Amino acid sequence: MTDRALLNKAREAADNAYVPYSHFPVGAALECADGTVYTGCNVENAALGSTICAERTAIVKAVSEGRRRFVRLAIYGEGENYCFPCGACRQMLAEFVGSGDMEILCTRSGGRYVSYKFSDLMPHCFQL
Ligand code: THU
């Protein structure tokens, strides 16, 4: 699948974002080693700390369906800045990247995107 195709899935996932507080929809599309793709959106909560990001929604969906090896993650957000994964999402990704690596695609308004290796976004991360 091309980067653009994965980014389109992330964009579509953002249509389901529940964002009454921030009004900032985010969508994620997570490609697994076997080629399956899980999408997610952010789901906010009145207790703001209970909000879950789009990336973690996708990770939880994938892991709960038996996938544990990820190769690419596309993140859609229409902000002024590129929508990079937050610290909590990076830590959760680290759990499943293990000794391998994955690619992270981040969009900004206008459809432009950048691509990073996960290991560049989060070097020396905590693992037991
Ligand atoms: N958000 C995500 O879903 N992913 C990110 O990478 C950054 C932030 C969400 C959380 C909250 O619902 C909204 O964006 C504003 O912070």
Side-chain angles (χ1 to χ4, degrees):
M1 182 182 298
T2 63
D3 283 356
R4 278 286 169 203
L6 197 67
L7 285 161
N8 281 338
K9 286 184 183 290
R11 184 176 47 75
E12 283 168 20
D15 289 342
N16 291 325
Y18 176 72
V19 288
Y21 305 106
S22 74
H23 306 288
F24 188 75
V26 181
L30 182 63
E31 183 181 41
C32 304
D34 67 357
T36 53
V37 174
Y38 288 87
T39 59
C41 61
N42 48 341
V43 181
E44 297 185 342
N45 190 269
L48 298 177
S50 298
T51 291
I52 185 167
C53 292
E55 298 92 318
R56 275 177 290 146
T57 301
I59 295 166
V60 166
K61 285 171 69 176
V63 175
S64 63
E65 298 288 332
R67 271 66 184 201
R68 294 183 180 179
R69 283 201 49 228
F70 309 141
V71 293
R72 216 168 14 151
L73 171 66
I75 306 164
Y76 168 86
E78 281 279 339
E80 213 176 287
N81 302 305
Y82 287 105
C83 193
F84 283 97
C86 78
C89 291
R90 292 181 199 201
Q91 183 60 39
M92 192 148 177
L93 284 166
E95 188 76 20
F96 300 102
V97 168
S99 57
D101 208 342
M102 64 181 292
E103 218 182 323
I104 311 286
L105 314 176
C106 311
T107 58
R108 55 173 286 184
S109 62
R112 280 189 283 178
Y113 76 99
V114 287
S115 167
Y116 284 85
K117 282 182 181 174
F118 176 77
S119 58
D120 288 332
L121 292 185
M122 192 157 177
H124 311 294
C125 52
F126 175 75
Q127 280 173 323
L128 281 178

mmCIF file of all heavy atoms in Angstrom, residues 18-19 22-27 41-44 51-56 75-76 83-86 89, ligand 1:
data_model
loop_
_atom_site.group_PDB
_atom_site.id
_atom_site.type_symbol
_atom_site.label_atom_id
_atom_site.label_comp_id
_atom_site.label_asym_id
_atom_site.label_seq_id
_atom_site.Cartn_x
_atom_site.Cartn_y
_atom_site.Cartn_z
ATOM 1 N N TYR A 18 -14.458 11.798 18.144
ATOM 2 C CA TYR A 18 -15.402 12.402 19.096
ATOM 3 C C TYR A 18 -14.635 13.494 19.834
ATOM 4 O O TYR A 18 -13.831 13.211 20.730
ATOM 5 C CB TYR A 18 -15.921 11.330 20.061
ATOM 6 C CG TYR A 18 -16.820 11.889 21.135
ATOM 7 C CD1 TYR A 18 -18.110 12.330 20.819
ATOM 8 C CD2 TYR A 18 -16.380 11.992 22.443
ATOM 9 C CE1 TYR A 18 -18.938 12.864 21.799
ATOM 10 C CE2 TYR A 18 -17.199 12.519 23.427
ATOM 11 C CZ TYR A 18 -18.468 12.948 23.103
ATOM 12 O OH TYR A 18 -19.290 13.467 24.069
ATOM 13 N N VAL A 19 -14.809 14.744 19.392
ATOM 14 C CA VAL A 19 -13.940 15.833 19.862
ATOM 15 C C VAL A 19 -14.725 17.078 20.293
ATOM 16 O O VAL A 19 -14.482 18.178 19.806
ATOM 17 C CB VAL A 19 -12.894 16.194 18.765
ATOM 18 C CG1 VAL A 19 -11.855 15.091 18.654
ATOM 19 C CG2 VAL A 19 -13.550 16.419 17.410
ATOM 20 N N SER A 22 -11.847 19.655 22.189
ATOM 21 C CA SER A 22 -10.750 20.284 21.446
ATOM 22 C C SER A 22 -11.161 20.695 20.029
ATOM 23 O O SER A 22 -10.519 21.539 19.421
ATOM 24 C CB SER A 22 -9.567 19.317 21.340
ATOM 25 O OG SER A 22 -9.847 18.293 20.397
ATOM 26 N N HIS A 23 -12.191 20.053 19.506
ATOM 27 C CA HIS A 23 -12.578 20.266 18.103
ATOM 28 C C HIS A 23 -11.398 20.009 17.165
ATOM 29 O O HIS A 23 -11.244 20.669 16.149
ATOM 30 C CB HIS A 23 -13.146 21.681 17.888
ATOM 31 C CG HIS A 23 -14.270 21.998 18.812
ATOM 32 N ND1 HIS A 23 -15.528 21.428 18.692
ATOM 33 C CD2 HIS A 23 -14.330 22.796 19.910
ATOM 34 C CE1 HIS A 23 -16.302 21.869 19.667
ATOM 35 N NE2 HIS A 23 -15.601 22.690 20.426
ATOM 36 N N PHE A 24 -10.563 19.057 17.553
ATOM 37 C CA PHE A 24 -9.385 18.720 16.740
ATOM 38 C C PHE A 24 -9.427 17.221 16.413
ATOM 39 O O PHE A 24 -8.897 16.386 17.161
ATOM 40 C CB PHE A 24 -8.100 19.083 17.497
ATOM 41 C CG PHE A 24 -6.854 18.955 16.675
ATOM 42 C CD1 PHE A 24 -6.545 19.891 15.703
ATOM 43 C CD2 PHE A 24 -5.984 17.880 16.864
ATOM 44 C CE1 PHE A 24 -5.387 19.775 14.936
ATOM 45 C CE2 PHE A 24 -4.817 17.751 16.100
ATOM 46 C CZ PHE A 24 -4.532 18.702 15.132
ATOM 47 N N PRO A 25 -10.072 16.869 15.301
ATOM 48 C CA PRO A 25 -10.156 15.451 14.941
ATOM 49 C C PRO A 25 -8.812 14.912 14.482
ATOM 50 O O PRO A 25 -8.069 15.592 13.760
ATOM 51 C CB PRO A 25 -11.153 15.420 13.773
ATOM 52 C CG PRO A 25 -11.588 16.813 13.530
ATOM 53 C CD PRO A 25 -10.734 17.747 14.328
ATOM 54 N N VAL A 26 -8.505 13.714 14.922
ATOM 55 C CA VAL A 26 -7.284 13.025 14.498
ATOM 56 C C VAL A 26 -7.689 11.620 14.057
ATOM 57 O O VAL A 26 -8.582 11.003 14.646
ATOM 58 C CB VAL A 26 -6.249 12.939 15.649
ATOM 59 C CG1 VAL A 26 -4.969 12.233 15.187
ATOM 60 C CG2 VAL A 26 -5.910 14.330 16.179
ATOM 61 N N GLY A 27 -7.025 11.142 13.017
ATOM 62 C CA GLY A 27 -7.245 9.765 12.557
ATOM 63 C C GLY A 27 -5.909 9.063 12.440
ATOM 64 O O GLY A 27 -4.875 9.701 12.180
ATOM 65 N N CYS A 41 -9.511 6.732 15.914
ATOM 66 C CA CYS A 41 -9.717 8.180 16.004
ATOM 67 C C CYS A 41 -9.597 8.569 17.464
ATOM 68 O O CYS A 41 -9.586 7.697 18.345
ATOM 69 C CB CYS A 41 -11.095 8.567 15.460
ATOM 70 S SG CYS A 41 -12.459 7.825 16.366
ATOM 71 N N ASN A 42 -9.483 9.867 17.731
ATOM 72 C CA ASN A 42 -9.463 10.286 19.134
ATOM 73 C C ASN A 42 -10.883 10.309 19.678
ATOM 74 O O ASN A 42 -11.839 10.672 18.985
ATOM 75 C CB ASN A 42 -8.733 11.616 19.329
ATOM 76 C CG ASN A 42 -9.133 12.721 18.390
ATOM 77 O OD1 ASN A 42 -9.718 12.479 17.341
ATOM 78 N ND2 ASN A 42 -8.820 13.944 18.754
ATOM 79 N N VAL A 43 -10.989 9.882 20.929
ATOM 80 C CA VAL A 43 -12.278 9.832 21.625
ATOM 81 C C VAL A 43 -12.089 10.579 22.940
ATOM 82 O O VAL A 43 -11.380 10.101 23.829
ATOM 83 C CB VAL A 43 -12.726 8.371 21.870
ATOM 84 C CG1 VAL A 43 -14.079 8.344 22.583
ATOM 85 C CG2 VAL A 43 -12.792 7.591 20.562
ATOM 86 N N GLU A 44 -12.697 11.768 23.011
ATOM 87 C CA GLU A 44 -12.483 12.622 24.178
ATOM 88 C C GLU A 44 -13.500 12.335 25.274
ATOM 89 O O GLU A 44 -14.492 11.626 25.063
ATOM 90 C CB GLU A 44 -12.539 14.101 23.734
ATOM 91 C CG GLU A 44 -11.422 14.417 22.758
ATOM 92 C CD GLU A 44 -11.330 15.882 22.370
ATOM 93 O OE1 GLU A 44 -12.311 16.626 22.575
ATOM 94 O OE2 GLU A 44 -10.256 16.266 21.840
ATOM 95 N N THR A 51 -9.325 10.984 27.898
ATOM 96 C CA THR A 51 -9.305 11.006 26.424
ATOM 97 C C THR A 51 -8.285 10.008 25.889
ATOM 98 O O THR A 51 -7.220 9.822 26.472
ATOM 99 C CB THR A 51 -8.932 12.436 25.954
ATOM 100 O OG1 THR A 51 -10.010 13.313 26.277
ATOM 101 C CG2 THR A 51 -8.634 12.484 24.463
ATOM 102 N N ILE A 52 -8.632 9.360 24.786
ATOM 103 C CA ILE A 52 -7.652 8.480 24.126
ATOM 104 C C ILE A 52 -7.354 9.036 22.733
ATOM 105 O O ILE A 52 -8.258 9.483 22.016
ATOM 106 C CB ILE A 52 -8.132 7.003 24.070
ATOM 107 C CG1 ILE A 52 -7.025 6.110 23.485
ATOM 108 C CG2 ILE A 52 -9.456 6.855 23.327
ATOM 109 C CD1 ILE A 52 -7.267 4.623 23.677
ATOM 110 N N CYS A 53 -6.084 9.037 22.393
ATOM 111 C CA CYS A 53 -5.643 9.532 21.084
ATOM 112 C C CYS A 53 -5.986 8.524 19.983
ATOM 113 O O CYS A 53 -6.161 7.326 20.244
ATOM 114 C CB CYS A 53 -4.131 9.739 21.071
ATOM 115 S SG CYS A 53 -3.538 11.072 22.105
ATOM 116 N N ALA A 54 -6.000 9.024 18.772
ATOM 117 C CA ALA A 54 -6.287 8.183 17.606
ATOM 118 C C ALA A 54 -5.297 7.022 17.486
ATOM 119 O O ALA A 54 -5.681 5.883 17.188
ATOM 120 C CB ALA A 54 -6.222 9.046 16.348
ATOM 121 N N GLU A 55 -4.026 7.318 17.758
ATOM 122 C CA GLU A 55 -2.992 6.289 17.601
ATOM 123 C C GLU A 55 -3.206 5.140 18.574
ATOM 124 O O GLU A 55 -3.115 3.973 18.218
ATOM 125 C CB GLU A 55 -1.600 6.886 17.845
ATOM 126 C CG GLU A 55 -1.208 7.987 16.876
ATOM 127 C CD GLU A 55 -1.577 9.372 17.369
ATOM 128 O OE1 GLU A 55 -2.690 9.535 17.917
ATOM 129 O OE2 GLU A 55 -0.758 10.289 17.200
ATOM 130 N N ARG A 56 -3.486 5.509 19.844
ATOM 131 C CA ARG A 56 -3.678 4.444 20.834
ATOM 132 C C ARG A 56 -4.961 3.667 20.581
ATOM 133 O O ARG A 56 -5.022 2.478 20.860
ATOM 134 C CB ARG A 56 -3.612 5.014 22.256
ATOM 135 C CG ARG A 56 -2.161 5.093 22.743
ATOM 136 C CD ARG A 56 -2.062 5.713 24.104
ATOM 137 N NE ARG A 56 -2.376 7.130 24.030
ATOM 138 C CZ ARG A 56 -2.994 7.809 24.985
ATOM 139 N NH1 ARG A 56 -3.396 7.217 26.079
ATOM 140 N NH2 ARG A 56 -3.212 9.110 24.835
ATOM 141 N N ILE A 75 -0.780 9.218 10.487
ATOM 142 C CA ILE A 75 -1.548 10.063 11.405
ATOM 143 C C ILE A 75 -2.075 11.273 10.629
ATOM 144 O O ILE A 75 -1.302 12.002 10.002
ATOM 145 C CB ILE A 75 -0.672 10.554 12.578
ATOM 146 C CG1 ILE A 75 -0.002 9.372 13.282
ATOM 147 C CG2 ILE A 75 -1.516 11.344 13.574
ATOM 148 C CD1 ILE A 75 1.158 9.779 14.183
ATOM 149 N N TYR A 76 -3.384 11.463 10.700
ATOM 150 C CA TYR A 76 -4.018 12.586 10.017
ATOM 151 C C TYR A 76 -4.480 13.622 11.029
ATOM 152 O O TYR A 76 -5.177 13.304 11.993
ATOM 153 C CB TYR A 76 -5.228 12.094 9.206
ATOM 154 C CG TYR A 76 -6.103 13.205 8.701
ATOM 155 C CD1 TYR A 76 -5.821 13.834 7.490
ATOM 156 C CD2 TYR A 76 -7.199 13.642 9.436
ATOM 157 C CE1 TYR A 76 -6.621 14.874 7.042
ATOM 158 C CE2 TYR A 76 -8.001 14.676 8.989
ATOM 159 C CZ TYR A 76 -7.708 15.287 7.794
ATOM 160 O OH TYR A 76 -8.491 16.315 7.352
ATOM 161 N N CYS A 83 1.158 16.646 12.672
ATOM 162 C CA CYS A 83 0.545 15.946 13.801
ATOM 163 C C CYS A 83 1.425 14.744 14.197
ATOM 164 O O CYS A 83 1.257 13.636 13.677
ATOM 165 C CB CYS A 83 -0.869 15.500 13.436
ATOM 166 S SG CYS A 83 -1.813 14.965 14.859
ATOM 167 N N PHE A 84 2.348 14.996 15.095
ATOM 168 C CA PHE A 84 3.233 13.939 15.594
ATOM 169 C C PHE A 84 2.540 13.192 16.742
ATOM 170 O O PHE A 84 1.704 13.769 17.434
ATOM 171 C CB PHE A 84 4.537 14.559 16.123
ATOM 172 C CG PHE A 84 5.496 14.964 15.045
ATOM 173 C CD1 PHE A 84 5.550 16.274 14.610
ATOM 174 C CD2 PHE A 84 6.336 14.023 14.464
ATOM 175 C CE1 PHE A 84 6.441 16.657 13.604
ATOM 176 C CE2 PHE A 84 7.231 14.398 13.468
ATOM 177 C CZ PHE A 84 7.277 15.712 13.033
ATOM 178 N N PRO A 85 2.904 11.945 16.944
ATOM 179 C CA PRO A 85 2.312 11.212 18.074
ATOM 180 C C PRO A 85 2.781 11.799 19.405
ATOM 181 O O PRO A 85 3.951 12.176 19.539
ATOM 182 C CB PRO A 85 2.827 9.778 17.892
ATOM 183 C CG PRO A 85 4.011 9.884 16.994
ATOM 184 C CD PRO A 85 3.820 11.103 16.150
ATOM 185 N N CYS A 86 1.888 11.874 20.372
ATOM 186 C CA CYS A 86 2.239 12.416 21.685
ATOM 187 C C CYS A 86 3.129 11.421 22.428
ATOM 188 O O CYS A 86 3.333 10.274 21.992
ATOM 189 C CB CYS A 86 0.971 12.725 22.494
ATOM 190 S SG CYS A 86 0.202 11.262 23.220
ATOM 191 N N CYS A 89 1.548 8.006 23.310
ATOM 192 C CA CYS A 89 1.399 7.125 22.135
ATOM 193 C C CYS A 89 2.758 6.552 21.715
ATOM 194 O O CYS A 89 2.855 5.391 21.320
ATOM 195 C CB CYS A 89 0.747 7.878 20.985
ATOM 196 S SG CYS A 89 -0.988 8.286 21.301
HETATM 197 N N1 THU B 1 -4.473 13.767 19.766
HETATM 198 C C1 THU B 1 -4.407 12.593 19.082
HETATM 199 O O1 THU B 1 -5.415 11.897 18.893
HETATM 200 N N2 THU B 1 -3.201 12.210 18.608
HETATM 201 C C2 THU B 1 -2.053 12.937 18.700
HETATM 202 O O2 THU B 1 -1.017 12.517 18.227
HETATM 203 C C3 THU B 1 -2.056 14.219 19.407
HETATM 204 C C4 THU B 1 -3.325 14.599 20.067
HETATM 205 C C5 THU B 1 -5.791 14.233 20.232
HETATM 206 C C6 THU B 1 -6.018 14.247 21.713
HETATM 207 C C7 THU B 1 -7.121 15.289 21.828
HETATM 208 O O3 THU B 1 -8.356 14.645 21.584
HETATM 209 C C8 THU B 1 -6.850 16.238 20.687
HETATM 210 O O4 THU B 1 -5.995 15.568 19.794
HETATM 211 C C9 THU B 1 -6.220 17.544 21.101
HETATM 212 O O5 THU B 1 -5.109 17.346 21.884
#
